[in-house]
Amino acid sequence: MEPAVIGARLASSIVTPLIKKLFLSEGPGAGLVDEPIRVSALVSFRGEKRTLSDKDLHTIAEELIRRAAQSTGVEDVLPAFEKRAVANAVADSLRVMGTLDMEDAQAVKLGHLGLSRHLRSGSRTATLGLSSDAVALHASVMDTACLHILNFFTQRSTFVPRTLVEQSRSIEELTRKIDALIARAPSPADGPFEDRYAGYIAAKHGKLSIFGLDLSGAPESWRLDAAYLSLDAAGDATTAAPALLSADHVLAGRDRVLLRGVAGSGKTTLVQWLALSATQKELDEHLLYLHGLVPFVLPLRTLTRGGAALPAPHEFLSAVNCPIASLQPPGWFDRVLRAGRGLMLIDGIDEIPEDDRGDVRRWLRELIGVYPANRWLVTSRPSAVQERWLMDEEFTELDLAPMSRDNIADFVDRWHRAAGISDQYANELLRAIRSKRDLGRLATNPLMCGLICALHQARRGYLPEGRKEIYDAALSMLLFRRDRERGVYTSGSMYIGEAHHIQLIQRLAYWMIRNGRSEMDRTDAVELLEQALPMMPKVAEQGTAEEVYRYLLIRSGLLREPSPDSMDFIHRTFQDYLGAKAAVEGLDFDFLIANAHLDQWEDVIRMAVAHARPAERTRLLTGLISRDDVSRHGMKRLHLLAAACLEHATELDPAVGAQVQRRAAALIPPRSADQARALTEVGPVVLDLLPGPQETSADEATAPDCDGPGAHPTADEAYFTVLAAARIATDAAIAVLARYRGHRDPRVRAELVRAWSRFDTDLYGTEVIAHISDDTLYFPVTNPRELRALHAFGGRSRIKVSGEFTTAEFVESSRRSGRLTHLWVDGGMAGTWNWLHNFPNLRSLTIEPVQPHIEVGGLAQVLSLRTIRVPEGTDVIGADELPPSMGILYERLGGA
């Protein structure tokens, strides 16, 4: 529905009380009646029981015109005398109802536009001499008034809705849609600015830099709507949405979400995608919840640049250097946020110092207190904020899941198609990722996947081993080979060799890390370079510090200027990697150890271990596990961090490695979601330390605490152990998860079945899924292969459709087993519902509609169905058509 059809832009809350005054509340027609009534007998402004005076009728008309003129922007266009004339014309048109030779059912059948034309034709002389704007306002107000008049008729009568089912439902639905659209549409005064702002958002956030594409001759950036790859997000059993769901759907049905993700997992890209989607006129069905929302993209490192205070709403645009900030209409931000139209995208809690995060939480709390009805997404690396950090503000906590096998295949295919490279390279790379354990473990987020694609192509199929080696090769490719292969250098132009190039950039990186910054002022960067140049005479003789800075910015491919006065790295990962290299070369090991308890230093410490020599690694790791100046919680984090560093320690004293593993083992099994996340960060090395399930216990919840590996975990510990192993998501994790396939705790079983999409379909299905019974447990399926595998395992009675299926695909793969009794679908599979006849034993249907309403009338023909479950607050249409044997349950739908 386009904004043009909103007409007078009068919401039900305004019109309904006024319209009700036009009709009698007592006497003929009062209450629910089961026969048609003449319209003229219902009005309150004529007859013996008249309760509304002619002056009252004019007052109602004047109020309708006043409200309509304000909301449509014609208040300043029409002179006062003409607005009075339009009010008189509306009063005359409404007065025609008193002489109308028509019953209420006939009026409903005529429709609101037909009734409006009929009433206006009965007072045709009322608009003589009025301007075209005034005539249009009169018609618009009458159209809206008649819609609500007919809605009133359908609600006061049992005869009308029973005999005119479709018309009554259409009136109700149109009223609801107009109300929703009015709430989401800008006022006419704000519309031009919002169109311009949408253009700015699309230009700024509508492109995605795909690593390594420029080396192939393809553009350095790609249209986001063509390149975006939807990943998955997951909660745990303590959240309201524990099931795996598409990441771009995290705010559908949830107004506030804290989304965690490791470096390079796609948090910022998701923010860009949601912002871009909100500006589009046409949206896919699963993104319709963004329609009409105004995105505010607020990277925290930009908001706090130079120690700036967090902005008030009227400063949002200027704080992110939006060039049209000064053009926003007075009070615009307040109108948007009070109407609940704001899409608040706060990116990067981890990119500001730990001491400042309490200020961010207070800032969020104050904003939400004033503007509670908007949608809020806050992103962070996992360790930056503790579990339930925003619990008091009612945020749902979700995690970006590692890329699944299908995600990786899709990404590799898109990367190679965008680069114009043959399928042979893509297929070879996919085979390597799936056959080489270390490589497959690295390719689990978009950044690393892009690095691997670029290096595979640049090295013609040869790939380095390990994360550090991949970063080394990527830096060489960015800093040196890119310009050499492009033929950029000419005689007499500035040229800085790779070694000096890296030394200069890592100097900037380490300064930013030491100062807790993700951005630095341009002047500070130039000054740092000026201090370094005397030690590099071959570079200094080629130009000034300012010229060297410009060279690094343009040539490196690692630096960028988010604003004219600031500089940052294209990705925080490169800053941490180069900063760690500078720290090791500067022998700053004590400084590294002293800051290791701060989450902003975690990746720096890991990379420092990778850069260090064997004796230096021993110094770092023993320093980490020997610190006793932090809290018990901080000590646990340090021990797990040391364990996570082991994968980067290619050469290490075995005694030191064993000592680190013993310290980590003392923290297993995990006892919270935070601890499970921490173990996931350690990586596959932790899989050998995880215990098996408790085999026998009458009351698992009362089992004693476990102090180390080999002890039987309690029900909570079993769940968090499975959570950690499932998110490590390598084939080696399958053996750990398979040990829990007979566990009785419903959270354990639910986590096992929803982890299926992260592993090889057949291997995980055979080892885990096939052995899990389906009593009270829904099995999520994300693709047709999983459906076929379920059929091979004998089918399941409860299935949750979590992927994009056609109804034909689902029927083909599921009907043969005959076991399906409970089905859970989203609104995308709704429609005529005829396909459900293929499941004669179906008893329960759970529907998660994309929109806040769902049509269920067609389910009346599914005779076996007994229960229809929908989310709380869903507007169910057609419920009156269901037989008494079917019931609708409104529930807070969480995991399966």
Side-chain angles (χ1 to χ4, degrees), residues 199-220:
Y200 156 76
I201 290 290
K204 183 173 178 63
H205 300 290
K207 291 193 174 181
L208 177 67
S209 294
I210 303 178
F211 189 88
L213 276 184
D214 56 324
L215 288 173
S216 65
E220 293 187 30

Side-chain angles (χ1 to χ4, degrees), residues 179-186 288-293 340-341 375:
D179 282 346
L181 194 55
I182 288 173
R184 286 286 183 93
L288 284 176
Y289 73 94
L290 296 172
H291 178 72
L293 297 183
R341 296 179 54 232
R375 296 186 191 244

Side-chain angles (χ1 to χ4, degrees), residues 79 138 201 314 468 508 523 629 675 685 730 751 761 805 890:
H138 170 251
I201 290 290
H314 70 278
K468 176 184 178 295
L508 301 178
T523 54
D629 60 334
Q675 292 181 14
V685 68
T730 66
E751 183 62 31
T761 299
F805 293 87
Y890 296 86

Side-chain angles (χ1 to χ4, degrees), residues 277-359:
S277 298
T279 67
Q280 304 303 299
K281 299 292 185 185
E282 296 183 6
L283 290 169
D284 292 339
E285 185 174 1
H286 73 287
L287 290 172
L288 284 176
Y289 73 94
L290 296 172
H291 178 72
L293 297 183
V294 178
F296 293 92
V297 181
L298 303 173
L300 283 169
R301 66 176 178 178
T302 302
L303 300 187
T304 58
R305 182 187 298 146
L310 291 163
H314 70 278
E315 301 169 320
F316 283 166
L317 301 193
S318 58
V320 295
N321 303 305
C322 174
I324 60 172
S326 61
L327 302 180
Q328 58 182 310
W332 168 71
F333 71 91
D334 185 62
R335 288 190 292 277
V336 168
L337 298 182
R338 278 196 295 112
R341 296 179 54 232
L343 178 61
M344 315 304 295
L345 303 168
I346 295 103
D347 189 27
I349 292 283
D350 57 283
E351 295 190 351
I352 61 173
E354 194 165 356
D355 291 343
D356 295 341
R357 292 172 196 165
D359 294 336

Side-chain angles (χ1 to χ4, degrees), residues 588-787:
D588 271 355
F589 300 111
D590 289 341
F591 189 73
L592 288 170
I593 293 167
N595 286 278
H597 64 287
L598 301 173
D599 66 86
Q600 285 184 303
W601 285 77
E602 286 186 359
D603 283 348
V604 180
I605 300 297
R606 295 184 197 196
M607 289 296 100
V609 170
H611 286 296
R613 291 168 294 191
E616 294 167 341
R617 288 176 183 145
T618 294
R619 182 177 174 182
L620 272 171
L621 292 173
T622 55
L624 290 178
I625 61 177
S626 300
R627 277 189 61 179
D628 57 5
D629 60 334
V630 293
S631 67
R632 181 179 176 85
H633 172 74
M635 197 176 300
K636 290 179 178 179
R637 278 180 58 178
L638 288 174
H639 292 176
L640 288 174
L641 175 59
C645 291
L646 292 179
E647 70 167 308
H648 306 293
T650 52
E651 185 179 349
L652 182 67
D653 182 344
V656 175
Q659 188 180 12
V660 169
Q661 286 195 324
R662 283 196 299 272
R663 296 294 181 95
L667 306 176
I668 293 173
R671 297 170 176 85
S672 70
D674 272 350
Q675 292 181 14
R677 287 190 194 96
L679 290 178
T680 301
E681 289 288 291
V682 172
V685 68
V686 83
L687 293 172
D688 292 335
L689 304 175
L690 294 175
Q694 181 168 329
E695 303 293 342
T696 58
S697 174
D699 184 4
E700 291 176 295
T702 61
D705 288 341
C706 304
D707 294 321
H712 293 310
T714 66
D716 282 348
E717 291 164 348
Y719 168 66
F720 291 120
T721 296
V722 168
L723 193 64
R727 291 183 180 180
I728 291 174
T730 66
D731 285 350
I734 296 178
V736 176
L737 296 171
R739 293 154 69 187
Y740 284 86
R741 64 195 187 191
H743 204 280
R744 295 175 303 199
D745 188 88
R747 296 170 302 165
V748 172
R749 298 169 68 241
E751 183 62 31
L752 288 172
V753 297
R754 73 177 185 170
W756 193 4
S757 63
R758 303 178 193 175
F759 298 92
D760 177 77
T761 299
D762 295 328
L763 178 60
Y764 191 86
T766 301
E767 294 297 318
V768 180
I769 299 297
H771 302 272
I772 300 177
S773 61
D774 63 348
D775 50 310
T776 74
L777 178 66
Y778 281 87
F779 282 69
V781 288
T782 60
N783 57 62
R785 293 195 312 276
E786 292 175 354
L787 269 178

